[in-house]
Amino acid sequence: MLPKAKAERPDVLVIMITAYGDAETKRKALENNAEALLTEPIDFVSLRGEIDTRANRAHEGRQTEAASRRNRDQPVSG
């Protein structure tokens, strides 16, 4: 399911929650571009932390991209 979702919407950040916390499950999730994998029972403080971290990184990335575009679009004087 994750590969299909990421293929359709590569910009969407995915935090997976699973009952299976083994290394193989984590490897597959990260291999398929999940941002993080949390195991049940859900620790809502950890979930909130993951969401905040990912949202902040995405926001910073958009700001950097916008600044880069502004710099690129400015005429060169001289």
Side-chain angles (χ1 to χ4, degrees):
M1 178 195 273
L2 180 58
K4 183 178 178 185
K6 291 298 272 190
E8 290 179 15
R9 296 285 311 270
D11 56 320
V12 171
L13 303 178
V14 176
I15 298 172
M16 292 188 66
I17 299 171
T18 182
Y20 306 102
D22 59 68
E24 180 66 11
T25 301
K26 184 172 186 169
R27 184 189 64 75
K28 284 183 180 178
L30 298 178
E31 214 172 68
N32 286 298
N33 298 315
E35 309 306 318
L37 177 72
L38 300 178
T39 55
E40 292 181 342
I42 300 168
D43 175 352
F44 288 98
V45 173
S46 293
L47 176 59
R48 184 67 210 196
E50 290 290 346
I51 292 168
D52 290 345
T53 297
R54 301 317 187 230
N56 288 335
R57 284 185 190 163
H59 178 71
E60 290 168 3
R62 285 190 302 274
Q63 285 182 322
T64 300
E65 192 175 300
S68 205
R69 262 187 269 121
R70 280 193 304 273
N71 290 337
R72 189 176 49 236
D73 294 340
Q74 288 183 357
V76 178
S77 60

